[in-house]
Amino acid sequence: SGAGAGAGLDVAVVGAGPAGLATAHALLSDAAGANVSSVTIFERREELEDAVGGGIQLNGGAAILARLGLLDDSRITEVLLPCKRVRSRLCLRGDLTAIDVDVPAAMTRWPDAAELAARPGREALAFCSMRGALQGALAETLPEAATLRLGSNLSSARENANGGATLTFADGSEESFDLVVGADGIGSAVRRSLAAGAATNGSARAPEAEYSRIRLLLGVTPADEEQSGGRSVRPASERAEMHQWFGDGAYALLASYRGVGGRLYDQVVVCERDDTEREENASYERRAGTPEEAREALIASARAARLPKELLDVAMRSERVIEVGAHWHDIGVPWTSPLGSMVLLGDAAHAMPPFLGQGCNQAMQDAWSLAESLASEQTLLSATRRYESSRREAVEPVLQKSRFIGWLETQSGSLGTLARDAALTAAGKLGVAEFIFVDGAVPRV
């Protein structure tokens, strides 16, 4: 109708990751009805690179892409590989299968997951995609009213006395907008600016992310015939399956993902207890050292945790190894400025450990919720506050479950691993694991 708070707004989105790009799509879509005038996306990188980061899982986020009509675009769907099974095994119990989730069937069984379930002509909404490929596809399909500006390194943001917000960049330049959306990740400059404003008003809380004491090592290798030279070790029959293992002090994942042009990649992830403070590495830069040294570190961690040959074989072929310290955010830090002209979403608001695979999914739900709130509320402040309230309620339990699951899955020693393995086996037999998977996937917007 054009009557909502979003009507005619010029919006800045800081950060051109999947979260920021999905936000631009949502704000400019007819489906959400925000009816903003324009969206300018600022990204500090000079270019969007395909070979950045690892693979991500999409389910609730895929539902948002479907609402936006993006799953009807081949540029998006060519980078999505259906995920049809999640199988979890216990390395210390003879490779016993503890959990085995038939993903399409599970989404059909649970009524709340109806939006995700398969239907004629459409797969169940559960996919695996390389982050860089999804980012590129979302950028390529941006609406005409969206402008992507690369090489724009934000220093700070401030809300103006009469409304609107001003961005200050590293080169000293400034630009003002009706609304600024901070989608700039775990080290968000917009988040720091909001926290600084809250401190001025006497309600400060630390904006820095907290280390979960879990380190992730990711190894990525080409898997299709042309790129791998026929050396891929994963059978074609397992491409749509995510395989998990639980070892001594570690959890590991092996899965396949689609990249640019629909090319296949295999990714192995080893998550291990590590009390040494590690950088988040939010940009997913390659691990320091030579490729060989990085690969050896990954292999050493896998062997120390007594992970299986199937996983080691992929680790040994990894061409890109990434080290990440899993962090999480205190979501008590304000997401919205006093006048509603600045707002956070995605990792900038609620970074969480990756153990439910929900970071990107929750960010895309944030994008839809913000757009809907701008469409339905009459003032910018009421819209951003409604968005913040509804998404805090939805995200808080996901964040806390992710923290707990990371702690549980990386238990070590005879007693710790015995208790963990017994809990996982019971969760598999009783259907609890399936429920947790589906419940996390269901969009709460």
Side-chain angles (χ1 to χ4, degrees), residues 166-252:
T166 298
L167 302 177
T168 302
F169 297 92
D171 63 2
S173 64
E174 294 190 335
E175 294 191 46
S176 295
F177 295 86
D178 299 312
L179 173 64
V180 168
V181 181
D184 46 340
I186 198 164
S188 170
V190 180
R191 180 184 175 92
R192 289 196 302 272
S193 297
L194 281 176
T200 302
N201 296 326
S203 58
R205 295 182 72 161
E208 295 83 8
E210 296 191 37
Y211 181 46
S212 68
R213 293 183 170 79
I214 298 176
R215 176 178 78 150
L216 284 70
L217 283 168
L218 298 82
V220 179
T221 184
D224 58 27
E225 190 72 22
E226 180 181 347
Q227 292 185 99
S228 70
R231 294 182 294 108
S232 175
V233 296
R234 289 204 86 194
S237 60
E238 295 180 356
R239 290 286 174 217
E241 299 181 0
M242 300 182 71
H243 290 184
Q244 301 174 323
W245 288 272
F246 300 94
D248 189 4
Y251 152 81

Side-chain angles (χ1 to χ4, degrees), residues 16-18 21-22 25 48-50 58 65 70-71 73-80 129-143 148 258-262 364:
L21 294 167
H25 278 282
L48 301 184
E49 302 175 52
D50 297 340
L58 284 179
L65 296 181
L70 290 170
L71 293 189
D73 193 314
S74 61
R75 291 170 293 181
I76 298 289
T77 56
E78 79 168 0
V79 303
L80 303 178
S129 178
M130 295 303 294
R131 182 188 184 278
L134 179 63
Q135 179 185 35
L138 289 170
E140 187 179 355
T141 54
L142 282 170
L148 175 58
R258 287 224 180 271
V260 173
M364 289 185 174

Side-chain angles (χ1 to χ4, degrees), residues 217 287-299 320-322:
L217 283 168
R287 189 181 186 276
T290 66
E292 292 75 18
E293 290 171 337
R295 188 162 49 245
E296 285 304 315
L298 171 62
I299 294 167
R320 185 167 80 245
V321 176
I322 303 158

Side-chain angles (χ1 to χ4, degrees), residues 32-46:
N35 204 22
V36 305
S37 178
S38 68
V39 177
T40 305
I41 308 133
F42 294 97
E43 168 58 37
R44 66 177 181 81
R45 289 179 179 270
E46 296 290 341

Side-chain angles (χ1 to χ4, degrees), residues 309-324:
K309 182 178 183 299
E310 178 182 345
L311 184 139
L312 280 166
D313 285 345
V314 177
M316 290 174 180
R317 289 166 171 77
S318 295
E319 294 188 356
R320 185 167 80 245
V321 176
I322 303 158
E323 182 179 86
V324 176

